[in-house]
Amino acid sequence: MKTLDQIAAELQGYDPQALSAGQVLDFLSRLVMPVQDVVELPLMQASGRVLARDVVSPFDVPPHDNSAMDGYAFDGGQLTDSPLELQVAPGTALAGKAWQGSVQPGQCVKIMTGAIMPTGLDTVVPQEFVSVRTVPGQAEVITIPPKLLRAGDNRRLRGEDLMQGRPALQKGELLTPARLGLAASLGLKTLAVFRQLRVAYFSTGDEILSLGEAPREGAVYDSNRYTVFGMLSRLGCEVIDMGVVRDDPALLEAAFTRAALEADAIITSGGVSVGEADFTKAMMKKLGDVAFWRIAMRPGRPMAVGRISSTKSASSPVSTSAGSYQNNSNPNGAILFGLPGNPVAVMVTFLAFVRPALLQMMGASASPPPLLKARSTEAIRKKAGRTEYQRGWVSTAADGSLQVKTTGSQGSGVLRSMAEANGLMVLHHAQGNVAVGDEVDVLMFEGAL
Ligand code: AMP
Ligand code: MG
């Protein structure tokens, strides 16, 4: 395990007072480590979790050559440039009920989608393409028009979906609906996944009201608790929700200590800006190895990062919804993300930095979500030398291209414009002013928020 100073020494031009967004990501990726504990879960419970081992296909999928259409199976070697007449053999090949028998040259077999291809037959003509002639007392005869088919058409090959012995899913993949279905198609009842990441969250600040408290002058309701809860839940983390912690050294110490014991990561909001007259920063420093950063970004800027030690703390086991335990995966303590207090800054710093770090801790190999390119419908003032995130609404323009407009006031406390947005424009570090019609990168919320 590296100390913060050791990580800082590895980075080019590390200056805690002026970090770029890229340097923050680099730092965090060196700080966090993936959980090790693996649990075997039934498929439905494994939904959204991270696969802990490769899944090797125990057999071919599909296990037999089968028909992709309702129609007639025949030997495609008989196709020529003339119409092909074939006698329909008795019986039908059904999905789940193979056709038994042997087919003579000049014959075909009526077949349904998914049915195993009868031995020796490799091609299926869809029923809507043939004409059928019935003569009482004799076998039906179909006519296949010329130049319609090639040998092998409308047949799904054994193993074309998954080959026996090959990895069907890889360690580190998030179990999306498609991957869950794929695992089921292999007959697997359970999957080995990493245990859920436990993330503790609390808000700080004496002016912060919990829901249910009576309003008072100068006080605001705690919105960060809910945005962070929503973002953590979407990631599939177990949230240890600790509410608001008052600016009181004893309360803060108890909160950090409990969180470091119970959780893999601690997220706080508030109390990390320069000139804060509260005890939050002092307590972070006292209980762990913590750096206080100023990041070249907007909104955001101040952020505390490090580890809060769990060793100085109480010796009694802790009980949570996940059971009773003494140690988490990281015996040296929990990773701390001390976010600024402003509601939009919390969401932006979470998306930009905390989310990728948590995914790494979850054991996920997920690459960052792709940025979309959209044309800005307005001019935006932007200073080079910092990353700016603008709340935006992406839509399809009349010509079919993507366009983006900002959603009202971009103040870092204005949650409304965040709630009205479907993505964040990412105006990169070196980028300057944006003119009307310029393409900008957008991080879409869908999938992330
Ligand atoms: P701070 O970073 O503590 O200086 O807070 C910056 C601004 O964010 C102040 O206006 C706070 O009132 C506001 N703020 C801090 N925490 C919260 C919270 N949990 N919910 C809503 N607003 C908050
Ligand atoms: Mg404050």
Side-chain angles (χ1 to χ4, degrees):
M1 189 194 74
K2 291 175 198 153
T3 64
L4 297 192
D5 283 345
Q6 285 167 334
I7 297 172
E10 292 173 359
L11 297 178
Q12 287 272 315
Y14 172 83
D15 173 2
Q17 291 304 301
L19 283 175
S20 69
Q23 286 176 308
V24 170
L25 283 170
D26 196 359
F27 193 109
L28 292 177
S29 72
R30 293 163 196 255
L31 175 70
V32 304
M33 282 185 301
V35 290
Q36 299 297 324
D37 308 341
V38 174
V39 281
E40 192 81 23
L41 289 182
L43 247 57
M44 285 185 186
Q45 287 175 41
S47 177
R49 303 284 288 268
V50 179
L51 206 54
R53 285 197 273 276
D54 288 356
V55 171
V56 171
S57 186
F59 46 71
D60 287 331
V61 180
H64 306 277
D65 290 1
N66 68 89
S67 176
M69 300 292 251
D70 291 345
Y72 300 87
F74 64 102
D75 173 5
Q78 301 167 97
L79 288 165
T80 63
D81 286 347
S82 320
L84 176 63
E85 285 203 347
L86 296 169
Q87 246 187 27
V88 182
T92 303
L94 297 168
K97 192 155 182 281
W99 185 84
Q100 307 289 349
S102 58
V103 186
Q104 307 306 315
Q107 283 192 319
C108 65
V109 177
K110 197 166 169 56
I111 193 164
M112 295 297 140
T113 305
I116 297 177
M117 294 292 286
T119 316
L121 307 188
D122 62 0
T123 309
V124 173
V125 57
Q127 59 189 11
E128 56 271 32
F129 294 151
V130 304
S131 51
V132 184
R133 206 169 67 233
T134 328
V135 180
Q138 289 181 26
E140 276 182 345
V141 172
I142 61 164
T143 305
I144 305 172
K147 295 179 179 145
L148 183 72
L149 295 171
R150 279 172 308 179
D153 276 0
N154 302 310
R155 170 193 51 167
R156 300 176 188 142
L157 287 172
R158 168 180 181 160
E160 79 174 22
D161 196 352
L162 298 169
M163 295 269 267
Q164 180 180 357
R166 299 256 184 89
L169 293 170
Q170 263 148 12
K171 176 182 174 180
E173 286 183 335
L174 279 167
L175 288 167
T176 57
R179 290 172 183 153
L180 218 51
L182 193 70
S185 75
L186 299 177
L188 300 173
K189 288 215 229 76
T190 61
L191 286 170
V193 298
F194 290 114
R195 75 153 169 81
Q196 243 180 331
L197 205 65
R198 290 186 287 264
V199 184
Y201 172 77
F202 57 89
S203 305
T204 69
D206 277 348
E207 79 282 25
I208 309 303
L209 291 174
S210 292
L211 297 185
E213 280 189 273
R216 59 171 192 270
E217 190 167 280
V220 293
Y221 281 112
D222 183 2
S223 55
N224 294 341
R225 180 181 185 179
Y226 299 88
T227 56
V228 171
F229 174 82
M231 293 187 292
L232 287 173
S233 310
R234 282 231 169 173
L235 256 188
C237 296
E238 181 196 334
V239 186
I240 302 170
D241 168 33
M242 297 174 63
V244 179
V245 177
R246 298 257 155 269
D247 238 346
D248 169 305
L251 294 177
L252 282 167
E253 176 156 13
F256 276 116
T257 302
R258 178 188 153 204
L261 259 183
E262 289 187 27
D264 303 294
I266 307 169
I267 300 175
T268 61
S269 77
V272 293
S273 16
V274 187
E276 277 282 348
D278 54 31
F279 302 100
T280 311
K281 281 198 282 193
M283 195 50 67
M284 290 174 175
K285 224 177 234 161
K286 176 179 165 194
L287 298 177
D289 181 17
V290 178
F292 297 90
W293 288 342
R294 276 151 69 101
I295 305 167
M297 69 186 292
R298 204 164 95 150
R301 212 140 104 101
M303 186 171 163
V305 165
R307 282 191 198 87
I308 298 289
S309 165
S310 57
T311 50
K312 296 177 191 157
S313 42
S315 54
S316 56
V318 173
S319 48
T320 72
S321 56
S324 210
Y325 46 87
Q326 184 98 48
N327 287 316
N328 55 44
S329 65
N330 183 357
N332 301 301
I335 299 293
L336 170 73
F337 302 97
L339 306 185
N342 271 311
V344 179
V346 166
M347 295 193 75
V348 169
T349 46
F350 184 97
L351 277 176
F353 308 128
V354 181
R355 189 173 188 277
L358 291 180
L359 279 166
Q360 194 180 333
M361 293 176 77
M362 289 161 64
S365 53
S367 38
L371 298 175
L372 222 72
K373 291 236 181 277
R375 280 181 300 102
S376 177
T377 61
E378 62 212 300
I380 301 168
R381 289 180 55 191
K382 157 75 172 62
K383 263 196 209 157
R386 67 183 187 198
T387 307
E388 293 188 16
Y389 302 85
Q390 300 258 339
R391 287 140 260 177
W393 183 261
V394 175
S395 60
T396 309
D399 66 359
S401 66
L402 293 177
Q403 61 184 14
V404 60
K405 66 175 172 63
T406 54
T407 54
S409 167
Q410 297 290 313
S412 64
V414 183
L415 210 42
R416 175 177 170 170
S417 49
M418 192 74 182
E420 288 173 352
N422 63 0
L424 274 183
M425 287 185 224
V426 184
L427 307 179
H428 299 283
H429 192 83
Q431 204 170 336
N433 289 336
V434 175
V436 176
D438 279 359
E439 270 198 337
V440 293
D441 277 342
V442 185
L443 172 66
M444 294 303 288
F445 288 160
E446 200 47 60
L449 271 192

